[in-house]
Amino acid sequence: MAEKGVKLFGMWESPFSLRAEWALRLKGIEYEFVDEDLDNKSAELLRLNPVTKKIPVLAHDGRPLAESLIIIEYIDEAWTHGKPIMPKDPHHRAQARFWAKFAEDKILAAIFAVYCATGEELKRAVEEMQVELRTLEGELEGKSFFGGEEIGYLDLAVGWLALWVPMIEELAGVTVVNRESHPLLLEWFEKFLSEEVVKGRLPAKDRLYALNRDRREQIISGRLAYGK
C-alpha cells in the first residue's frame, strides 16, 4: 500500500528544494522533509526518482514527482484551497512560465559564473549578471511582487535570488545590485524574505555562507569540478 501523506526529499540549502517548501507552506500543507546527503543519496530517493536521481522529489500519497517548477504547479493544482500560486489568466500564466525559464537559462548560469570566477573573468561575469537581473527586474514595474500584490509562481521560482545574490556578493567581494542599479529588485528581496511562509523556512545564514565559501574555494582551486 502506498504511503499516505506528503514527503519532500531535498537538501537544506538547495534553492530548488526551498522553492517546493515555500509552495507547500504557502498552501498550508503539512509535509515531512527528508534532508538528503547528496554524496550518499537514500535508497528511497533513488527509488522515487530513478531517472535523474536528483532533488527535490515530492511524494504525495506515495506517488513521486520530480523537478521543482513542476512540483510548484502540481501543488497549486492538487490543493485548490488557500492562496493560488499560478496566475488565473492564461496569458499571465504563460508569461510567468516564460520568466521562470529565463531565470533558469540565463540568470542561473550568470550567477554561477560569478560564483566560480576570479580576476578579470569575475568582473565580466558580474557585468553579465547585472544585465540579466535588470532584464528580470522589468517584470516588477508597478508591482510589489512578481505575482502582483502577493507572492505567486514566479516569486517562488526566483525567490532563491534574494538569498544567493547577497551571499555571492560577500563571498566574491563584489557588488552586483544596489539602490541605483536595481532598486526594484532590492526592494523585492526585502519583501520576499519578510513573508511568513518564506522566513519560516530559510537556511541558517552562517551555515549557508560557510558551506558555499568552502565550495567556491574548492572550485577555484580546482579541487572540485564545476557543478559537482
Side-chain angles (χ1 to χ4, degrees):
M1 181 179 294
E3 182 179 354
K4 295 295 183 180
V6 180
K7 293 177 73 172
L8 182 67
F9 296 79
M11 192 259 195
W12 66 272
E13 63 107 18
S14 165
F16 311 109
S17 294
L18 288 170
R19 287 171 172 167
E21 284 201 80
W22 292 332
L24 288 167
R25 291 172 59 85
L26 185 62
K27 285 289 189 174
I29 301 164
E30 292 187 6
Y31 65 97
E32 176 187 349
F33 182 72
V34 181
D35 192 11
E36 289 283 340
D37 177 356
L38 300 188
D39 292 323
N40 185 27
K41 296 172 184 176
S42 70
E44 190 172 10
L45 172 66
L46 298 177
R47 177 180 64 81
L48 292 171
N49 186 11
V51 179
T52 67
K53 302 178 176 62
K54 293 181 179 180
I55 58 156
V57 172
L58 180 76
H60 182 199
D61 292 341
R63 297 185 299 172
L65 192 64
E67 298 296 333
S68 59
L69 294 179
I70 293 173
I71 289 171
I72 292 174
E73 291 201 42
Y74 174 81
I75 289 169
D76 194 39
E77 293 178 7
W79 289 278
T80 56
H81 65 276
K83 294 181 179 180
I85 294 175
M86 299 299 295
K88 291 183 179 180
D89 180 82
H91 183 264
H92 293 166
R93 195 158 56 243
Q95 283 292 94
R97 292 185 180 119
F98 169 84
W99 285 108
K101 189 175 189 308
F102 169 83
E104 296 293 276
D105 292 346
K106 297 292 187 179
I107 295 179
L108 186 61
I111 282 183
F112 276 97
V114 174
Y115 187 85
C116 301
T118 58
E120 287 300 311
E121 185 180 341
L122 174 59
K123 182 180 178 181
R124 289 192 297 271
V126 167
E127 291 172 353
E128 181 176 343
M129 181 175 164
Q130 289 172 328
V131 170
E132 304 295 5
L133 289 174
R134 195 170 295 116
T135 301
L136 177 67
E137 185 183 43
E139 283 300 293
L140 284 169
E141 287 285 350
K143 297 184 289 188
S144 297
F145 297 95
F146 288 104
E149 293 309 305
E150 295 184 312
I151 62 174
Y153 171 77
L154 186 54
D155 297 281
L156 298 176
V158 302
W160 62 277
L161 292 173
L163 291 171
W164 275 71
V165 171
M167 179 185 71
I168 287 176
E169 288 181 321
E170 180 170 321
L171 299 187
V174 297
T175 298
V176 177
V177 298
N178 57 54
R179 296 292 176 188
E180 288 71 40
S181 65
H182 300 80
L184 298 180
L185 197 62
L186 274 180
E187 185 178 357
W188 173 78
F189 283 1
E190 295 169 1
K191 289 179 180 178
F192 182 78
L193 293 177
S194 68
E195 286 288 304
E196 286 297 327
V197 297
V198 175
K199 70 181 182 181
R201 178 55 186 96
L202 291 174
K205 180 178 177 179
D206 290 349
R207 187 182 179 197
L208 179 68
Y209 280 41
L211 174 68
N212 283 283
R213 182 176 291 108
D214 181 62
R215 183 184 291 157
R216 182 173 186 269
E217 289 173 356
Q218 290 187 58
I219 291 172
I220 291 172
S221 68
R223 290 178 289 136
L224 180 66
Y226 174 82
K228 296 296 184 181

